Structure formats: C-alpha cells, structure tokens
Amino acid sequence: MSRRRAARLGAAELAIAGALAAIPRPTHAQAGGDAAAAEVLFEQAIALMRQGNYEQACPRLAESQRLDAGVGTLLYLAACYERLGKTASAWATYREAADAARRHGQADREQKAREGAAAIEARLTRLLVEVPADSAAPGLSVRRNGQELAQVLWGTPMPVDPGAYTVEASAPGRLPWSTTAAIDPAGGTVTVTVPPLEAAPPPQGAPPAAPAAASRGAPAAQTAPAAPPARPASPDAAGMPAQRLVALVAAGAGVVGIGVSVGLGFEARARFQDAGAHCDGDLCDDDGIEIRGDAMDLARAGTVVFLVGAAGLATGGVLWFTAPSPDAGAGTRPAVQVGLGPLGLSLGGRF
C-alpha cells in the first residue's frame, strides 16, 4: 500500500473518531445485569472502532442496543456499519436512530441521524426479485439467503448490503430452483427473475407417463390395454363337462314340454266333451262349432309342445352320452349351441 493511500485512510479514521466523540455517550437508565453488560459491550465497541476493528465492534454495539436500547448506541452502530461497508444496514440504523431521537425530543441527534441516512441513500445497493405471472405456481415459496421473502416484497427493489445473495424458489410438485446474485458496493439495482419451476418427476414405483410423440403431429403411443378380469370358474372346474351340463338342461326342458303337452291334451278332451251338448254327431250349432274349434287348437298346441319336449329330451340324451369324461383335455371339450325356434330345438357345435 502506498504512503499516500495510508495517509488518506488515517485521515478518514480520525474523522470518524472525531464524529463519534462529538456524540454524547448514551446513558443506560435500566438497572440490573443487562444494563451492566450493555455498558461493558459499548465500551469495548468504542475502543475497537478507534482501532479500526469494525468487524468486532459492530456485533458488540448491536448486542448492547438489544440489552439496553439508547439513541447514542444506535448512532454509533450506524457509523460502524457504514465503515464496514454495510450501507443498507447503516442507512436503516440511521433512520431508526432519527425516529428514536424524535420520540425522546433530542433534536441534535435526530439531525445527525437524518444527515447520515441522506448521505448514504444515494449509494444504496438494491436487490429486486421478480416473479412473473407464469412463474407464480400454487404454494410458491421464495427465499433470500434462507429467509422467506414475503409475497408483498416480490417486484420491490429492497436495499441490501453489498455481497453475494442466494435466491431460492420452491413449490409443491415442482423442482426447486436457486441462483446467486452479486451485489456491487458501487450501488445500483440487481434484478433476479424467478423462472417457471419444472414439474417434479413421479415418485419411484409410479407407472411412467405415456411417451411424447416422436414428431410434431404424430399420435402419442397408446398404452397396452389392461388385462381382462379373471373369468369365474367354469363348470369343468366343478368336475362336470359343459356338454353334460347342456344335456341336463335340454333334457329338463324336454320333460317339462312333454308334461305341458299332456296337460293340453286333457284340456282338449274336456273341451270336446263340452261340445257334445251342442252337437248331434257331426252336426253342431254355432256354440258347438266354436267349442270344438278351441278343442282342436288345444290339441294341435299339445302336439307341437310334445314334439318339442321329445326333441329336447332326445337332444339331452345325445349330448349326455357323447360328452367326454371329466378328465379329458381342453382340446377334446365340445362347443355346443342349443336354440329354441318355431320348429323346435336347434343343436349345433362341435363334439
């Protein structure tokens, strides 16, 4: 370091010491250990400042102010911050000291504090954190050096001390983002813009999303269809082949049909007997003719039902005796189709 540079620094330190000496020493009215500790810390800080050791002096003044607040301590602390290069801290502390002096009716100290704040304000450095509308994801949290930055401060240039600042952003379901901004002591505003946060990948074990189309306009790859639900156990699992089950059904239907046909036959016979009161041999009056017609219709219906029932019974017999044994392989199992039509039962399939 040149001798001229050293001389300038010495003159500046002497000027600061003179300004500090002009400030009346604060009086601590509070009794007890806190006031005593505050007094000791204050005296240590003043000695360190006269030695140019502001790094150790400023924390002692801040703690002394916390233990026993005083306007004079605030003025010393603001001057210490200014010498340390913490312009934003010095500016804020000067303003705090001015307000405290005004409340206590200390006009001279208020004037010194306001002059100190005004001298620094033109040299303040500011950090502006912008959050565009497309970046404001639900639940977005923005932090500056680990401290939450309230949403009302987004987009507002805030005075900060020169140095490096880490800006972080996070939101539920999004990947976190961070960057570091360097604040130059020369002043000015540094802007940090929070970009839209990328979506976080699905947790491990979750099914992957369908891949994007290989080219613009190409349809997205379709996912494989889900496997169909398992079919309920077939009659084969119970020990009876399907063909024999169909045989039982067909035979049962045939027995019912034959039973119905017998009933229709008895009804037709009874109707013929009723017509005898209206007939003389083959000659009948109108009522006799109508009654005999009903009897003939019943007889014909009974015949048709009997034939259908007989066919069903016969079909059931054929299916039963041609069915494979229960332990036959799947390749020998029959495929049977049975239907009921106007001409009776229809049987089809392979055996």
Side-chain angles (χ1 to χ4, degrees):
M1 180 184 296
S2 66
R3 295 179 61 182
R4 182 178 179 184
R5 173 67 173 163
R8 285 209 307 267
L9 287 176
E13 290 175 0
L14 289 175
I16 290 293
L20 292 174
I23 300 174
R25 183 174 178 176
T27 58
H28 298 278
Q30 179 176 333
D34 287 350
E39 184 70 19
V40 171
L41 290 171
F42 179 83
E43 292 176 354
Q44 291 179 354
I46 297 305
L48 290 168
M49 290 180 69
R50 286 170 178 166
Q51 298 171 13
N53 191 347
Y54 302 103
E55 287 281 355
Q56 296 186 27
C58 293
R60 284 171 168 78
L61 286 171
E63 182 63 14
S64 177
Q65 175 67 15
R66 188 188 70 82
L67 293 174
D68 190 7
V71 178
T73 306
L74 282 174
L75 287 171
Y76 276 98
L77 180 59
C80 186
Y81 282 147
E82 185 176 1
R83 290 300 298 161
L84 200 57
K86 294 184 175 182
T87 51
S89 298
W91 175 75
T93 306
Y94 273 129
R95 290 172 62 90
E96 182 182 356
D99 291 340
R102 178 183 53 80
R103 291 194 304 269
H104 290 83
Q106 301 174 4
D108 56 339
R109 288 184 171 180
E110 179 183 0
Q111 181 179 358
K112 290 180 182 295
R114 296 196 183 282
E115 290 174 354
I120 295 176
E121 190 166 4
R123 297 184 286 115
L124 283 176
T125 54
R126 291 177 169 84
L127 176 62
L128 170 62
V129 178
E130 288 187 338
V131 182
D134 58 349
S135 301
L140 180 67
S141 172
V142 180
R143 294 172 299 282
R144 186 183 68 192
N145 281 1
Q147 298 295 320
E148 186 76 19
L149 190 64
Q151 188 172 353
V152 294
L153 298 179
W154 299 353
T156 301
M158 299 300 298
V160 293
D161 295 329
Y165 289 84
T166 299
V167 179
E168 303 170 283
S170 61
R174 305 295 180 95
L175 293 176
W177 169 89
S178 66
T179 189
T180 301
I183 307 299
D184 193 278
T189 300
V190 175
T191 301
V192 173
T193 302
V194 177
L197 302 184
E198 299 180 5
Q204 293 184 355
S215 59
R216 185 177 180 86
Q222 297 182 352
T223 57
R231 294 184 178 180
S234 64
D236 295 9
M240 177 178 292
Q243 184 175 337
R244 289 196 173 182
L245 181 62
V246 175
L248 291 177
V249 174
V255 172
V256 173
I258 292 174
V260 172
S261 68
V262 172
L264 291 174
F266 281 118
E267 181 65 20
R269 181 178 178 183
R271 296 293 289 169
F272 266 102
Q273 291 177 353
D274 292 341
H278 302 275
C279 297
D280 183 12
D282 292 334
L283 298 176
C284 302
D285 59 14
D286 293 340
D287 291 338
I289 293 173
E290 183 177 357
I291 294 173
R292 282 192 174 185
D294 292 341
M296 291 297 293
D297 290 340
L298 290 172
R300 284 193 290 268
T303 301
V304 171
V305 173
F306 176 82
L307 293 176
V308 172
L313 188 60
T315 300
V318 172
L319 292 175
W320 181 269
F321 291 109
T322 59
S325 60
D327 57 351
T332 62
R333 292 180 182 178
V336 181
Q337 294 180 345
V338 179
L340 179 63
L343 300 180
L345 290 175
S346 61
L347 175 65
R350 56 183 176 80
F351 304 95

